[in-house]
Amino acid sequence: MHSTQDSRATAPAALELDFVARLLRRPGSLAAVLADIIRALAPISVVSALFAIGWVETAVMMLVFLGVLLARAAALPAGLDGATSALLLAAAWFSVADLYAQIAWIDLATHFAVGAVLAALARIMLERWDAAALAPSPGRTSVASVVAGALVGAALGLALSVVWEFLEWWGHTYIDDTVNVGYLDTLSDIAVGGAGGLIAGAVLAITSRGRTR
């Protein structure tokens, strides 16, 4: 009985050490090095926004910085890691440059792409933490596993999109009323974010064979 209690007590500490170890690990390939180079642009963006743009933009860049750090701690595949960092940075700078207002299709395309990579990041982080038995099982990928993966990805993409839209509403209401919000904008952003998550979940299920926690 004591051994069970001891193992439960040490589990959070082991998880914390594992998280730090993944965050501080050395890149093991050229693709991982390139992902870290892209990631290094996040703190540079924070400093640039702080001294040259404004505090609202600085807060956005800090959220991006947190996102790219989580991507590294999740030990994503190098290609997905680099894509996550690049898309998060692009989404933030598109906002700073006001491209969403100037080019209509960029908003939906960005929500779709960011929804996909964030859903993939959330799914893999859940796998790392052994949540809900989401880690891939060995063997051949089945139709059922792809459908299940797509549904989980869609759920994560929709949930994350709702959080993002809430933040946009909060920013529009309490910080800067130039932040674009509206019924159709909100629904379309959530829809494409969920679609991105669905596709990302299906792709992760198809490519999950051999992926370890």
Side-chain angles (χ1 to χ4, degrees), residues 122-123 125-135 213:
R123 171 63 187 258
M125 290 188 71
L126 289 173
E127 290 178 9
R128 304 295 184 198
W129 294 338
D130 293 324
L134 287 175
R213 302 182 211 184

Side-chain angles (χ1 to χ4, degrees), residues 1-178:
M1 183 175 181
H2 288 291
S3 61
T4 302
Q5 291 177 343
D6 291 342
S7 63
R8 289 177 180 175
T10 57
L15 180 60
E16 181 179 349
L17 288 173
D18 184 60
F19 183 90
V20 174
R22 293 183 189 278
L23 182 62
L24 299 179
R25 75 191 187 283
R26 292 185 177 181
S29 66
L30 177 59
V33 172
L34 292 175
D36 281 341
I37 291 173
I38 297 172
R39 193 181 346 270
L41 297 175
I44 295 174
S45 297
V46 172
V47 174
S48 299
L50 178 62
F51 289 101
I53 306 176
W55 69 272
V56 174
E57 291 78 8
T58 301
V60 171
M61 295 303 175
M62 290 179 69
L63 285 174
V64 170
F65 191 18
L66 175 61
V68 301
L69 289 179
L70 287 175
R72 196 176 209 286
L76 299 179
L80 178 57
D81 187 11
T84 299
S85 297
L87 285 170
L88 290 179
L89 283 163
W93 280 107
F94 287 167
S95 177
V96 172
D98 200 29
L99 290 184
Y100 295 125
Q102 298 177 31
I103 307 175
W105 62 266
I106 285 184
D107 183 40
L108 292 181
T110 302
H111 276 279
F112 176 85
V114 171
V117 296
L118 288 184
L121 170 60
R123 171 63 187 258
I124 291 177
M125 290 188 71
L126 289 173
E127 290 178 9
R128 304 295 184 198
W129 294 338
D130 293 324
L134 287 175
S137 301
R140 181 176 299 176
T141 301
S142 66
V143 174
S145 68
V146 174
V147 172
L151 292 176
V152 171
L156 291 170
L158 288 170
L160 292 167
S161 296
V162 168
V163 172
W164 180 258
E165 292 304 312
F166 177 80
L167 290 174
E168 281 192 347
W169 167 84
W170 186 83
H172 171 84
T173 305
Y174 297 106
I175 298 178
D176 184 356
D177 60 9
T178 63

